[in-house]
Amino acid sequence: MHVGEMASGAQLTVPVYRIKGNDPSAPSVYIQANMHGAEVQGNAVIFQLLEILKDSQVYGDITLVPYANPVGCNHKNGEYTLGRFDPITGVNWNRMYYFDESFIPAFVEQYKNETSSVIQSAFKKQLVQSIDKKLENSDFGLTTGQRIAYQLQRLAHQADIVLDLHTGPISSKHLYCPEYAQSSASYFNIPHTILIPNVFSGALDEATFCSWWTLQEVLNYVGNDFSISSAECVKESFTVELGSQEQIDLAEAYQDALSILTYLQHKNVIEEKQLKPEELTRYACYLKDYKAFYSPMGGMVDYLAEFGKPLVAGEPLAQILRMDNYGDGEPLHQITLEYDVLPILHFASASVNQGTELYKVFTHYFIL
């Protein structure tokens, strides 16, 4: 798929793999990876999914897009991949998607007495058309990131289930899940879930599920019992965080692929493969309770808190080495929090400035 052009005239392209399902009534799926340049594990997961699905019966159409951002993938500085932000605009690559709910009231007025299947078909068409208008009729043009994001979003809007594969800096596996789809989180082999409200902040998962969630709310308000969690209407979107960036592990990618297929089996996208979710303790918190902790000082950090292990208030999160204080002060500074937390990820480097995002943690967490 052609998504842009370089200054030299060379085309920016993205590979798209499509598997045609044999049951038109089954949910369709869109999966993409590597929107952020350093977050490469998702490409290995897509490879493993393609390998497994070659020998599987597929009911619903599945579209898979590795290397979703060709600019970010190739944005290197020495040993490191810097493709988290558009280098021209400084905007996060995963905050350029589009959502405008203003057309939904008029749509509901037109379709409020229709069946679920008619509403689904018409709304999908409307969502795709809204992206086409952004791509074709932008009076003042589009940024590189917008052009890439909108073309990916156009593919995503044609699916019922959307999975956006990411990784963190140094990170545990975790899942961003819309609040209404909480029960689905238990079908992924992922121990940590962040539950998201119906609020759009620019990410792909929000751009897709917020549209359907808002439609449901407005239809229900006018008396139509349309549901995006019913057997005949499944509309779910997730950001799947697969661990740490700048590395792939094909064996782990195979397990991640099985995790995704366990969920897709549950949604009747693929044949029954006797896949069962792993028995593990799944922790969750609401997005408002997912907190970043910023370093109170500069220095060299020894990250002490283990991912997924509850950290009681007062226990050490990290310690910071300040050699400039040696012999003339305290060189080691222990960092603790006043709350019980569940550490999820931390900064990739031991060298931090004051104000660097040191850890991200669950607060007010619970067992899913």
Side-chain angles (χ1 to χ4, degrees), residues 85-103:
F85 302 96
D86 183 335
I88 305 300
T89 65
V91 178
N92 186 325
W93 289 112
N94 193 36
R95 296 296 183 271
M96 301 190 206
Y97 297 98
Y98 175 73
F99 171 59
D100 179 8
E101 62 183 283
S102 63
F103 78 91

Side-chain angles (χ1 to χ4, degrees), residues 198-214:
N198 190 12
V199 176
F200 176 65
S201 61
L204 178 64
D205 57 349
E206 299 160 347
T208 46
F209 77 66
C210 283
S211 301
W212 290 98
W213 195 346
T214 303

Side-chain angles (χ1 to χ4, degrees), residues 28-32 63 97-100 103 120-132 134 149-162 200 203-212 235 237:
S28 55
V29 180
Y30 174 80
I31 302 174
Q32 73 174 34
T63 300
Y97 297 98
Y98 175 73
F99 171 59
D100 179 8
F103 78 91
Q120 289 183 70
S121 178
F123 195 65
K124 272 189 183 181
K125 184 177 180 180
Q126 186 82 42
L127 291 172
V128 172
Q129 287 176 345
S130 70
I131 297 299
D132 286 340
K134 296 292 289 183
Y150 294 165
Q151 290 184 87
L152 296 170
Q153 188 175 346
R154 190 181 190 282
L155 294 178
H157 275 323
Q158 297 171 60
D160 301 304
I161 294 169
V162 175
F200 176 65
L204 178 64
D205 57 349
E206 299 160 347
T208 46
F209 77 66
C210 283
S211 301
W212 290 98
K235 304 290 183 246
S237 303

Side-chain angles (χ1 to χ4, degrees), residues 108-288:
V108 167
E109 183 62 29
Q110 181 179 356
Y111 288 94
K112 62 185 178 183
N113 296 319
E114 296 290 352
T115 64
S116 177
S117 61
V118 170
I119 291 170
Q120 289 183 70
S121 178
F123 195 65
K124 272 189 183 181
K125 184 177 180 180
Q126 186 82 42
L127 291 172
V128 172
Q129 287 176 345
S130 70
I131 297 299
D132 286 340
K133 289 180 181 178
K134 296 292 289 183
L135 286 166
E136 297 168 5
N137 302 317
S138 179
D139 292 338
F140 295 97
L142 299 170
T143 69
T144 300
Q146 288 173 327
R147 188 171 298 280
I148 293 170
Y150 294 165
Q151 290 184 87
L152 296 170
Q153 188 175 346
R154 190 181 190 282
L155 294 178
H157 275 323
Q158 297 171 60
D160 301 304
I161 294 169
V162 175
L163 302 178
D164 192 9
L165 308 184
H166 285 257
T167 61
I170 305 297
S171 177
S172 65
K173 294 181 184 181
H174 53 289
L175 183 74
Y176 286 87
C177 170
E179 290 176 4
Y180 70 82
Q182 177 176 328
S183 61
S184 291
S186 298
Y187 289 90
F188 293 91
N189 298 327
I190 295 178
H192 311 123
T193 297
I194 302 158
L195 298 171
I196 317 174
N198 190 12
V199 176
F200 176 65
S201 61
L204 178 64
D205 57 349
E206 299 160 347
T208 46
F209 77 66
C210 283
S211 301
W212 290 98
W213 195 346
T214 303
L215 175 67
Q216 174 184 276
E217 290 176 338
V218 180
L219 279 168
N220 292 170
Y221 181 78
V222 300
N224 187 308
D225 62 357
F226 179 81
S227 171
I228 55 175
S229 301
S230 61
E232 65 276 4
C233 180
V234 177
K235 304 290 183 246
E236 295 184 350
S237 303
F238 306 91
T239 294
V240 185
E241 299 279 354
L242 299 165
S244 302
Q245 64 189 24
E246 292 279 38
Q247 59 188 14
I248 69 166
D249 182 328
L250 285 168
E252 192 64 25
Y254 181 79
Q255 297 303 317
D256 291 330
L258 292 181
S259 171
I260 289 171
L261 291 173
T262 302
Y263 164 73
L264 295 183
Q265 174 190 264
H266 170 64
K267 294 300 181 183
N268 299 312
V269 176
I270 62 169
E271 65 179 323
E272 177 68 41
K273 299 175 75 69
Q274 303 301 316
L275 295 170
K276 295 183 179 179
E278 293 178 2
E279 293 185 8
L280 49 84
T281 301
R282 291 175 170 83
Y283 293 99
C285 80
Y286 290 97
L287 182 62
K288 64 182 177 62

